[in-house]
Amino acid sequence: PTDVDQDGPALVGDPDMGFAPLRQFGPTLIHHTQLKVRSGIHNKSFMLVDSPGMIDSPVSAGGMPSGGDGALMDRGYDFQGVVKWMADRADVVMLFFDPDKPGTTGETFSIL
């Protein structure tokens, strides 16, 4: 086994990986997604997904506050929808907070 890096379009195009439904969130998400397979992990049924950090004041594409309705945010895709999609398929969800970057509570609470 060797280390492999795969871009988002290749990942969602691989029917064995199960990520094809992510296409519904648009090309911005797909082009910011990567698969990294590392040979040092010996459990074949383990997958770790790292999402972008949450931000305190999400805004819609028009620059207005999203109001927590899952609208398109400044990331260019529905971040809350993507997190929900991933969480619905996960056995465990872990949240990590960066103590050097306070102010992540707004979006975090809307996701939870």
Side-chain angles (χ1 to χ4, degrees):
T2 61
D3 291 352
V4 175
D5 291 355
Q6 195 174 54
D7 66 11
L11 175 63
V12 300
D14 184 341
D16 295 330
M17 294 301 294
F19 288 98
L22 287 177
R23 286 188 181 113
Q24 69 183 308
F25 297 105
T28 302
L29 171 69
I30 302 308
H31 290 287
H32 282 92
T33 302
Q34 294 180 344
L35 171 68
K36 295 180 182 278
V37 177
R38 297 298 175 247
S39 58
I41 299 174
H42 300 290
N43 186 339
K44 294 184 188 265
S45 62
F46 175 79
M47 184 180 295
L48 178 67
V49 176
D50 180 15
S51 72
M54 294 185 208
I55 55 178
D56 193 27
S57 299
V59 294
S60 67
M64 299 300 291
S66 71
D69 62 358
L72 184 70
M73 294 182 209
D74 63 344
R75 291 180 178 93
Y77 59 89
D78 178 6
F79 179 74
Q80 291 183 26
V82 172
V83 170
K84 181 177 181 344
W85 186 91
M86 297 269 186
D88 286 347
R89 288 152 181 81
D91 293 323
V92 175
V93 175
M94 295 184 288
L95 299 176
F96 295 93
F97 294 92
D98 186 345
D100 293 339
K101 297 178 184 168
T104 59
T105 57
E107 191 171 37
T108 303
F109 285 135
S110 69
I111 295 288
L112 296 175

